[in-house]
Amino acid sequence: AAASLWFDSTGIMKSRAVLQEDEQRAQRQDDERVSEASAAATRVRALLAASPTERAWSKLAGELEVQKMIWQSPRDAHKDRQDGYVTSLQSELDLALSIHVSQPEEAVTTLERCLACDGDSPGGGTLLSTSMLPMVEAVVHLERMSLARLSLIRYLEASVAAGGGCRQSTATASTSACADASATGGCRGLD
């Protein structure tokens, strides 16, 4: 009876030791994940800070002023029929520029609406100049990347706050995808 009691207490002790080792290993893994998520958030924040998005918005504002002069100049015989479209398009572009800091998602949606409607005017053709069109496209592209980066930063920070709720592969893959988008996201009209 004493031998079986000794065996049971030794088995329990070994089980507790194994359980404690597993808990320590899990804690180290969580700590590593938190550290990786924090480092990834820092790298993405640096990408966001280096983004030329605000410069693109400034260039778009300047290009819009030139576009307005083009719209005000005498045009072809379709001018009268296009005035309503021009006024609407100009209004949408002005709106996007005025809200891009406070409501970037809405500003991008507004620009995308402008791109979708361009060319729908009577008489056909595009209402945006050959320099304005790529500028709008570049701003949309850059702002979408910035919004994705902000979303990724929030996710990573939430993972850090949760104490390791972010799997390593998810954080690494998301950071790599964001970096890939930066590397391949050449922006026309910003050089």
Side-chain angles (χ1 to χ4, degrees):
S4 81
L5 183 59
W6 178 83
F7 175 75
D8 287 343
S9 65
T10 302
I12 291 173
M13 298 284 275
K14 286 181 181 178
S15 295
R16 284 184 183 161
V18 168
L19 182 60
Q20 188 176 27
E21 286 175 17
D22 287 347
E23 287 173 353
Q24 289 172 347
R25 184 174 35 255
Q27 183 60 47
R28 282 191 306 273
Q29 289 173 343
D30 280 350
D31 291 346
E32 288 172 12
R33 286 187 202 121
V34 167
S35 177
E36 289 172 1
S38 180
T42 300
R43 287 190 303 272
V44 175
R45 232 182 262 104
L47 287 172
L48 185 60
S51 172
T53 305
E54 193 55 42
R55 191 174 112 223
W57 279 106
S58 294
K59 284 189 166 202
L60 179 63
E63 194 62 42
L64 180 57
E65 292 308 311
V66 173
Q67 181 69 64
K68 288 176 182 179
M69 287 188 277
I70 293 169
W71 285 332
Q72 292 169 358
S73 69
R75 289 194 307 259
D76 59 35
H78 302 291
K79 183 181 185 319
D80 292 338
R81 288 186 292 168
Q82 290 179 340
D83 279 345
Y85 285 91
V86 168
T87 301
S88 176
L89 188 56
Q90 181 177 330
S91 174
E92 290 284 306
L93 290 166
D94 285 333
L95 173 65
L97 283 163
S98 70
I99 65 171
H100 83 273
V101 172
S102 61
Q103 300 172 350
E105 290 179 15
E106 182 61 33
V108 168
T109 300
T110 302
L111 290 179
E112 289 172 334
R113 203 169 36 245
C114 291
L115 289 171
C117 293
D118 189 40
D120 288 346
S121 66
T126 180
L127 294 176
L128 296 175
S129 69
T130 56
S131 56
M132 183 70 174
L133 186 60
M135 213 44 239
V136 173
E137 291 170 342
V139 168
V140 167
H141 173 75
L142 287 169
E143 194 64 58
R144 285 279 175 222
M145 262 191 344
S146 292
L147 291 168
R149 287 175 178 161
L150 282 172
S151 178
L152 179 57
I153 289 168
R154 286 185 197 115
Y155 170 77
L156 292 168
E157 287 174 344
S159 295
V160 169
C166 172
R167 289 190 308 254
Q168 175 185 358
S169 60
T170 304
T172 303
S174 298
T175 304
S176 296
C178 190
D180 291 345
S182 294
T184 61
C187 300
R188 296 184 314 234
L190 293 178
D191 300 329

